[in-house]
């Protein structure tokens, strides 16, 4: 063990919760240590807002609850939220931006359900994490507040749209973060940064208070360093919420308990005996990067050693999921983003003529290029005359893609393959070519369109010079509400491998400790700068 700061930073959710519960250190101490680490790694661009005063106040409450014997399962564990979840500004001092200039400094009057539930479980909110604007993107380069860097290689993207969440967890700034996944935004950044992330079945986590992108696809989920940590977080985040009309009417589940539940007939050496893992031919095309193929094959061989049977299956419409998703998601986005009109909330142009002019200038100024592109595509495919040709056709294909999965699930329990065709690319490499970004989503989109749970589990690292030692994720897709089985499988793999334990070599610069009061003063001052002038300027008192 090195210094206490890095010792705390190295702990995952389960270990931190245990250490705090046993009194090895307090939540306040853990919070202070992580705040120092966050401050030291502003180069990553992972955080959009940090409020040390709010974080320390929550940590003190957690420490009190422990003394009073009222501690929840995640009591005192610090984490942070993707800035797509609204956070009550009056309570937390944390603005909500969705990575957009349109919402710079927006003061939400309430917390998202996922945020509320994690706080009720005892977590401490450290701040808000950078993301692609309105969660549209695969590299985090679409954020209005600057890109996020991949802690494994600062010249590379962390993936997107939950890039800030992934980078912060991978760099050991926080043990876990929330993310959202509409077409891969939890799984792909998890894969690019070597962490574990799960997108549950559509409807498991409430969408209430998640800034909407494509409502029929948007799902929240945890991003952490292990399947066990994801299980703990998902148990707290999920469950029916009457405030979300598409919330699944199912009770919250204890996913952590399921991790250790033995499969019938399994042995200690072969915990996955009897599990059939389907490998879709279409997920292993010739064009798959050799680095990704090798790591994924390695993880599959490991799963086989653990008792699983590998079977060949087919998802014949995999390629079609790209045009289908890039019609449906923009269609829904164009409708959802209609609310940003300069009247109800967010940015309003300073100078305008009549009402129409105000709408136009506000939206021209507030939205970035990718968001505008999607609004235009979405409006086009929903317009009279094109609706049948594009939108309706896409909906029909979406149903067929979902049906293809059900055919597979007659032959296997879990589907496995790569998360993305390559490792994380260099910043700027695909920035001018939206289609290149879209194509890279090929393996995550099918499960999103079908509403199925999917996760990314660290599978290894690129061995080639081109791959530069970047992490590779294995994707596991389960049938509806089979999150427990996905997490169980990933946990078994993580008991037998150590890819998920590896940390990027770029470590936080050593920071000298200070008194809590001093540190909190420093942090607030520096953080408001980081939150950007615009943001803090526009928060109305
Ligand atoms: N990369 C996909 C997109 O740009 C998925 C984004 C997401 O899941 N939020 O739409």
């Amino acid at each position: 063990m090195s210094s206490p700061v890095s010792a705390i930073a190295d702990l995952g959710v389960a270990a931190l919760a245990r250490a705090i519960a046993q009194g090895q250190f307090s939540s306040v101490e853990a919070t202070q240590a992580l705040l120092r680490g966050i401050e030291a790694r502003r180069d990553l661009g992972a955080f959009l807002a940090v409020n040390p005063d709010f974080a320390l106040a929550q940590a003190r409450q957690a420490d009190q609850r422990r003394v009073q014997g009222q501690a929840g399962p995640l009591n005192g564990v610090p984490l942070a939220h993707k800035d797509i979840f609204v956070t009550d500004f009056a309570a937390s001092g944390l603005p909500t931006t969705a990575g957009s200039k349109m919402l710079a400094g927006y003061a939400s009057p309430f917390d998202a359900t996922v945020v509320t539930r994690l706080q009720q479980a005892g977590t401490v909110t450290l701040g808000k994490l950078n993301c692609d604007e309105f969660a549209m993107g695969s590299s985090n380069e679409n954020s209005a507040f600057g890109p996020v860097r991949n802690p494994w290689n600062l010249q590379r993207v962390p993936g997107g749209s939950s890039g800030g969440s992934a980078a912060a967890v991978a760099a050991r700034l926080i043990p876990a973060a929330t993310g959202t996944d509409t077409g891969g935004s939890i799984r792909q950044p998890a894969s690019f940064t070597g962490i574990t992330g799960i997108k549950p079945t559509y409807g498991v986590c409430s969408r209430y208070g998640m800034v909407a992108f494509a409502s029929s696809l948007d799902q929240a989920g945890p991003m952490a360093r292990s399947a066990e940590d994801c299980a703990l977080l998902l148990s707290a985040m999920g469950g029916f919420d009457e405030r979300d009309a598409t919330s699944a009417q199912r009770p919250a589940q204890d996913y952590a308990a399921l991790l250790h539940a033995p499969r019938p007939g399994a042995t200690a050496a072969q915990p996955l005996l009897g599990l059939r893992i389907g490998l879709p031919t279409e997920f292993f095309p010739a064009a798959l990067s050799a680095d990704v193929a090798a790591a994924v094959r390695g993880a599959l061989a490991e799963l086989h050693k653990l008792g699983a049977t590998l079977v060949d299956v087919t998802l014949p419409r995999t390629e079609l999921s790209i045009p289908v998703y890039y019609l449906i998601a923009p269609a829904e986005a164009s409708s959802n983003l209609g609310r940003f009109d300069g009247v109800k909330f967010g940015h309003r142009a300073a100078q305008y003529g009549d009402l129409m002019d105000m709408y136009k200038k506000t939206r021209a100024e507030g939205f970035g290029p990718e968001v505008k592109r999607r609004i235009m595509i979405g409006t086009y495919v929903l317009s009279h005359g094109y609706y049948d040709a594009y939108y309706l056709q896409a909906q029909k294909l979406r149903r067929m893609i979902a049906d293809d999965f059900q055919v597979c699930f007659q032959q296997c329990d879990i589907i496995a393959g790569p998360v993305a065709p390559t490792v994380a690319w260099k910043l700027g490499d695909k920035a001018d070519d939206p289609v290149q970004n879209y194509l890279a989503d090929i393996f995550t989109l099918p499960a999103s369109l079908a509403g199925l749970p999917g996760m990314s589990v660290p599978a290894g690292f690129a061995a080639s010079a081109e791959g530069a030692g970047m992490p590779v994720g294995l994707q596991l897709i389960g049938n509806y509400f089979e999150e427990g089985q996905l997490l169980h499988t990933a946990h078994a793999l993580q008991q037998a491998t150590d890819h998920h334990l590896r940390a990027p070599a770029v470590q936080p610069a050593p920071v000298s400790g200070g008194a809590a009061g001093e540190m909190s003063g420093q942090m607030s001052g520096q953080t408001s700068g980081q939150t950007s002038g615009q943001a803090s300027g526009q928060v109305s008192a």
Side-chain angles (χ1 to χ4, degrees):
M1 278 205 185
S2 44
S3 76
V5 174
S6 72
I8 287 174
D10 282 341
L11 299 179
V13 174
L16 258 175
R18 220 177 300 124
I20 292 171
Q22 291 167 357
Q24 287 173 29
F25 45 80
S26 65
S27 174
V28 167
E29 284 169 322
T31 301
Q32 286 171 336
L34 297 183
L35 286 170
R36 261 174 268 155
I38 291 168
E39 187 52 39
R41 289 311 304 272
R42 287 179 42 186
D43 62 320
L44 291 173
F47 276 84
L48 291 178
V50 180
N51 185 351
D53 295 337
F54 175 58
L56 289 166
Q58 290 173 93
R60 277 192 291 273
Q61 285 169 14
D63 288 333
Q64 243 162 32
R65 284 194 298 268
R66 175 179 170 265
V67 172
Q68 294 160 354
Q70 296 168 345
L74 300 173
N75 192 54
V77 175
L79 46 68
H81 297 292
K82 181 177 183 179
D83 205 11
I84 214 88
F85 293 94
V86 302
T87 41
D88 184 341
F89 183 78
S92 69
L94 296 168
T96 300
T97 70
S100 181
K101 191 180 162 198
M102 187 59 100
L103 282 174
Y106 172 63
S108 167
F110 68 101
D111 279 324
T113 295
V114 161
V115 171
T116 305
R117 290 198 176 161
L118 283 169
Q119 277 171 8
Q120 282 166 352
T123 65
V124 170
T125 303
L126 298 181
K128 304 295 287 288
L129 295 156
N130 203 349
C131 58
D132 281 305
E133 185 173 5
F134 290 105
M136 299 176 191
S138 311
S139 68
N140 216 112
E141 291 167 297
N142 296 336
S143 167
F145 306 108
V148 175
R149 292 175 183 276
N150 192 314
W152 291 91
N153 181 332
L154 300 179
Q155 300 332 310
R156 297 201 177 225
V157 302
S161 62
S162 313
S165 306
V169 173
R172 306 310 197 240
L173 305 187
I174 40 176
T178 52
T180 61
D181 190 312
T182 301
S185 282
I186 288 175
R187 291 162 284 162
Q188 185 255 27
S191 171
F192 279 14
T193 58
I195 66 165
T196 309
I198 182 165
K199 174 200 97 76
T201 307
Y202 181 80
V204 163
C205 286
S206 169
R207 288 184 297 109
Y208 183 72
M210 251 168 68
V211 177
F213 162 15
S215 307
S216 76
L217 294 151
D218 295 345
Q219 250 307 283
M223 302 172 76
R225 289 181 218 131
S226 68
E228 183 185 16
D229 288 357
C230 285
L232 285 165
L233 291 161
L234 188 57
S235 306
M237 293 165 70
F240 176 68
D241 179 12
E242 60 180 15
R243 287 172 160 151
D244 171 2
T246 56
S247 177
Q249 301 235 12
R250 296 166 68 96
Q253 291 226 39
D254 183 355
Y255 298 103
L258 295 174
L259 292 184
H260 310 288
R263 296 181 55 81
T267 63
Q270 296 212 298
L272 300 182
L273 215 57
L275 183 75
R276 297 166 306 164
I277 299 182
L279 309 179
T281 324
E282 296 78 6
F283 277 33
F284 297 89
L288 188 64
S289 118
D291 281 327
V292 171
V296 167
R297 295 274 180 208
L300 291 172
E302 198 63 51
L303 289 167
H304 179 64
K305 263 202 259 168
L306 295 170
T309 316
L310 306 178
V311 297
D312 291 327
V313 295
T314 170
L315 285 171
R317 274 166 276 254
T318 296
E319 261 185 47
L320 283 172
S321 63
I322 299 173
V324 169
Y325 173 88
Y326 281 100
L327 292 170
I328 292 175
E332 295 186 18
S334 70
S335 168
N336 272 326
L337 271 55
R339 73 192 61 173
F340 300 104
D341 58 2
V343 178
K344 294 185 278 295
F345 35 52
H347 177 74
R348 178 187 296 173
Q351 295 189 342
Y352 50 87
D354 61 3
L355 182 65
M356 209 39 149
D357 192 46
M358 189 279 282
Y359 288 153
K360 283 187 192 161
K361 291 211 170 92
T362 294
R363 289 168 68 84
E365 291 170 12
F367 291 135
E370 182 61 26
V371 174
K372 286 179 184 159
R373 185 176 295 121
R374 301 219 188 176
I375 291 173
M376 285 192 283
I377 294 171
T379 309
Y380 181 82
V381 305
L382 288 177
S383 61
H384 183 73
Y386 296 104
Y387 185 93
D388 286 0
Y390 294 108
Y391 184 70
L392 211 58
Q393 282 295 100
Q395 291 290 17
K396 288 178 183 165
L397 278 162
R398 181 180 187 176
R399 161 56 61 191
M400 292 166 94
I401 289 166
D403 290 346
D404 289 342
F405 274 106
Q406 293 312 310
V407 175
C408 284
F409 284 127
Q410 285 167 11
Q411 298 156 60
C412 64
D413 307 299
I414 279 182
I415 289 167
V419 174
T422 64
V423 296
W425 52 86
K426 293 197 187 85
L427 276 147
D429 259 12
K430 295 187 205 259
D432 299 330
D433 191 346
V435 174
Q436 283 307 313
N437 278 280
Y438 303 168
L439 292 175
D441 291 339
I442 183 163
F443 303 131
T444 50
L445 298 178
S448 294
L449 289 166
L452 293 166
M455 74 183 292
S456 177
V457 193
F461 295 84
S464 77
E466 198 194 321
M470 298 303 289
V472 177
L474 168 79
Q475 183 175 206
L476 300 176
I477 300 171
N479 212 341
Y480 299 109
F481 303 107
E482 293 286 358
E483 291 70 23
Q485 191 174 50
L486 290 184
L487 291 162
H488 179 273
T489 305
H491 181 65
L493 181 66
Q494 293 184 336
Q495 296 302 101
T497 56
D498 66 355
H499 310 303
H500 64 295
L501 300 176
R502 303 256 304 263
V506 198
Q507 287 299 316
V511 200
S512 57
E518 269 170 46
M519 186 196 70
S520 126
Q522 255 173 25
M523 287 284 299
S524 329
Q526 293 174 356
T527 305
S528 56
Q530 181 189 10
T531 312
S532 92
Q534 278 164 331
S536 23
Q538 289 191 6
V539 176
S540 47

